[in-house]
Amino acid sequence: MKQIYLYNTLTRKKEGFKAICDMKVKLYACGLTVYSEAHIGNLRAYIFDDLLRRVLESDGYEVKHAMNVTDVGHLVGDGDEGEDKLELGARREKTDPLALARKYEEKFFEDLRNLNVELPHKVVRATEAIKEQIELIKLLEEKGYTYKDEFAIYFDTSKLLDYGKLTGQKLEEKKVGAREEVVVDSGKKNPQDFALWFFLAGKYEDHILHWPSPWGEGFPGWHIECSAISRATLGQPFDIHLGGVDHIGTHHTNEIAQSEAAYGLPLAHFWLHNEYLMVDGQKMSKSLGNVYTLADLKKKGFDPVDFRYFILGGHYRSKLNFTWQALEGARATLRKIRALEDIPSALENSGKEDIKAKVRAALFDDLDTPRALAILHEANDFSLWKDFENVLALDIEAVETREIPSEVRDLAKRREEARGKKDWQSADQIRGEIEKLGYGVEDTGEGIKLRRK
Ligand code: AMP
Ligand code: ZN
């Protein structure tokens, strides 16, 4: 195991990572609000989560990765203003909010699989954790952190001395900022107070999704789901909380306020945030209407891993500008890497070990993928790219394999199992079946290769 360094938004420093419990890491990432397709800016966030998880795993950690899916409660603004995004989407598509949510959740997971993102071990929808959210609000109420008006139950941020510690802003500055960005509900005591539970009143009188609660029918505010779901899946404190930089000021700040006030413990030790994917100098976002989806990229003939490579070419803490030209560049580079497969390695083993150590050092230095890729390009050796495939996941060998029918791939898997059990007879028989389907199996020192005959 080597030391991994990560930039912690909470301390504003790069710190040596240490897990709470030995070699086990508990990781929570905010999931998508599933009211329309994920755009490729959102997908940058999930490639980043996946990269971190793979880097930790490559260092021997056992990662437990949990994520929510927001299918209720996220209003058009991050504060308490605007309409529920799910209800807005449902009206747009003339369907009901939950049908809409399931449709886009499915598409989201398909995108993640396409991008070789390892799916979280635990995924919980906000609507499946209503009980936990109510329990948490009850606890906050018992401890005197809440107040209510006719529209909602609010969290009273003035009860916390360190509200806003994640942003590093003083409360006074935050108040000024909040006044500008939030349409203040007249019942709120402080502009940065936020809703924990909305009642079916005022503009939410006809909210479609609602549940009974000790305070009456209503629905949860957006931030409470992550506090409740992270606790239910990982406990508190857990090791690392992830999300995009847009979540620092409101969503994550409010998660910290709720969880730490309720349980008197830190929520997470490390907070990591990915920067924006930009288009023409602006954040890619649905509200600005400048979004592309993975389906748009595929329509233009790109492979999802071309986009993965493009993302890894930037450091996660730097803004990255999306252009079609840059994506073409990524595709061409991946082709070059794949073409190295047929060129015999010119490096001695000791030389390879040296380079591997440098690549690892770059990755362990706050996930410096641009540096890691540059070192691998300079070495220009296919076996080295392969050594880091567990972290980079660029399908450098598998282009052909992915085009091979699943029937053939399943047979190859069964043949491997038979070989594992030294059942040579079955292995040979399965090879025959594979050949009948028009494919050849090659046993290499590092596994098998399937090729069209
Ligand atoms: P949301 O559905 O709004 O909660 O967003 C899902 C994830 O995408 C969050 O982690 C956001 O911070 C992240 N995100 C949204 N827009 C961008 C963008 N343009 N670039 C990178 N990450 C983004
Ligand atoms: Zn969250």
Side-chain angles (χ1 to χ4, degrees):
M1 188 202 121
K2 283 243 185 297
Q3 180 66 58
I4 293 178
Y5 294 87
L6 299 172
Y7 182 86
N8 190 351
T9 308
L10 193 60
T11 56
R12 282 164 278 283
K13 278 202 303 263
K14 215 190 265 185
E15 293 176 46
F17 174 71
K18 195 170 174 324
I20 294 168
C21 177
D22 295 330
M23 292 301 289
K24 292 190 166 54
V25 180
K26 291 180 176 176
L27 193 94
Y28 184 85
C30 291
L32 190 73
T33 306
V34 283
Y35 72 116
S36 62
E37 252 171 284
H39 60 68
I40 55 175
N42 299 133
L43 295 175
R44 179 181 196 190
Y46 300 102
I47 294 174
F48 156 64
D49 299 349
D50 181 61
L51 171 70
L52 174 65
R53 171 169 160 185
R54 286 171 179 272
V55 165
L56 289 164
E57 284 172 347
S58 77
D59 201 22
Y61 286 101
E62 189 188 315
V63 179
K64 183 163 180 201
H65 179 184
M67 186 176 82
N68 65 307
V69 167
T70 301
D71 55 356
V72 68
H74 191 176
L75 305 181
V76 169
D78 278 354
D80 295 331
E81 74 282 15
E83 201 173 347
D84 182 319
K85 288 185 174 181
L86 272 298
E87 298 219 337
L88 190 72
R91 255 214 324 280
R92 182 187 68 228
E93 299 196 12
K94 300 191 176 45
T95 179
D96 67 90
L98 284 186
L100 180 96
R102 299 301 172 261
K103 170 178 156 187
Y104 288 115
E105 177 187 302
E106 201 172 303
K107 278 182 188 281
F108 172 49
F109 284 108
E110 193 185 319
D111 284 353
L112 297 186
R113 277 191 292 270
N114 273 216
L115 289 164
N116 292 340
V117 166
E118 305 250 30
L119 298 189
H121 303 101
K122 199 87 196 137
V123 177
V124 181
R125 297 171 180 140
T127 54
E128 290 169 345
I130 299 292
K131 190 172 110 256
E132 289 79 358
Q133 294 174 73
I134 290 175
E135 287 305 314
L136 183 48
I137 301 168
K138 265 169 50 187
L139 192 56
L140 288 170
E141 189 177 43
E142 275 163 36
K143 295 198 169 181
Y145 287 102
T146 66
Y147 63 93
K148 69 176 184 175
D149 68 5
E150 60 187 298
F151 301 113
I153 301 202
Y154 297 102
F155 186 98
D156 185 350
T157 54
S158 68
K159 292 270 160 76
L160 295 179
L161 288 175
D162 58 357
Y163 179 77
K165 64 182 170 185
L166 191 63
T167 61
Q169 276 181 318
K170 296 203 175 63
L171 188 56
E172 282 313 304
E173 294 167 29
K174 174 80 188 155
K175 273 183 189 163
V176 175
R179 221 169 266 141
E180 284 162 7
E181 77 205 24
V182 172
V183 181
V184 186
D185 180 330
S186 58
K188 274 194 199 180
K189 289 189 191 163
N190 312 288
Q192 69 278 13
D193 290 354
F194 55 93
L196 298 164
W197 187 262
F198 288 102
F199 302 126
L200 300 181
K203 61 186 169 188
Y204 303 124
E205 198 176 350
D206 300 320
H207 201 269
I208 298 169
L209 294 173
H210 51 89
W211 293 264
S213 80
W215 317 280
E217 283 286 317
F219 64 100
W222 173 38
H223 317 295
I224 196 78
E225 70 183 75
C226 284
S227 285
I229 293 170
S230 64
R231 185 167 177 99
T233 51
L234 302 175
Q236 187 179 333
F238 54 90
D239 295 287
I240 309 178
H241 195 308
L242 302 171
V245 286
D246 52 337
H247 284 349
I248 298 173
T250 306
H251 181 53
H252 289 173
T253 287
N254 292 348
E255 277 186 43
I256 290 176
Q258 297 162 152
S259 296
E260 301 194 354
Y263 299 105
L265 289 165
L267 176 56
H269 284 188
F270 278 76
W271 289 79
L272 270 64
H273 294 96
N274 65 278
E275 254 297 349
Y276 291 138
L277 184 67
M278 313 283 287
V279 197
D280 301 327
Q282 279 188 303
K283 174 194 174 190
M284 182 175 289
S285 81
K286 283 164 201 160
S287 54
L288 291 173
N290 59 357
V291 301
Y292 298 109
T293 63
L294 199 62
D296 293 332
L297 272 48
K298 286 203 239 169
K299 251 182 255 154
K300 291 212 178 209
F302 289 98
D303 189 302
V305 288
D306 298 337
F307 178 67
R308 185 175 171 106
Y309 183 89
F310 163 71
I311 291 296
L312 297 182
H315 188 262
Y316 78 90
R317 284 199 291 125
S318 300
K319 290 190 172 67
L320 187 62
N321 200 42
F322 176 78
T323 62
W324 291 106
Q325 207 181 359
L327 193 61
E328 271 161 29
R331 172 165 64 186
T333 308
L334 270 181
R335 281 190 184 143
K336 265 195 237 154
I337 297 169
R338 289 175 184 136
L340 290 174
E341 186 170 9
D342 300 322
I343 301 170
S345 174
L347 287 170
E348 301 277 326
N349 265 346
S350 63
K352 274 189 196 170
E353 287 309 314
D354 254 17
I355 296 165
K356 276 205 265 193
K358 282 190 188 139
V359 176
R360 219 172 287 128
L363 292 170
F364 289 5
D365 179 11
D366 198 26
L367 314 179
D368 193 343
T369 46
R371 180 146 59 99
L373 294 177
I375 299 166
L376 286 167
H377 278 299
E378 201 185 313
N380 211 31
D381 184 288
F382 191 75
S383 71
L384 285 169
W385 282 103
K386 244 169 59 179
D387 285 332
F388 287 95
E389 186 64 3
N390 60 331
V391 173
L392 303 174
L394 294 167
D395 286 346
I396 54 162
E397 286 189 296
V399 190
E400 276 190 55
T401 313
R402 274 184 301 149
E403 284 160 7
I404 290 172
S406 58
E407 196 187 350
V408 176
R409 276 185 279 153
D410 288 347
L411 281 169
K413 217 185 278 163
R414 271 182 40 213
R415 179 169 171 273
E416 278 301 274
E417 282 163 12
R419 278 161 52 88
K421 290 188 218 140
K422 300 202 183 335
D423 179 358
W424 310 119
Q425 204 182 343
S426 303
D428 277 349
Q429 186 204 330
I430 299 170
R431 175 197 283 273
E433 288 176 48
I434 293 174
E435 284 174 353
K436 264 191 231 150
L437 292 168
Y439 287 83
V441 194
E442 217 179 283
D443 294 308
T444 71
E446 286 150 271
I448 61 148
K449 229 181 232 175
L450 290 166
R451 288 201 191 275
R452 207 188 292 272
K453 290 231 278 193

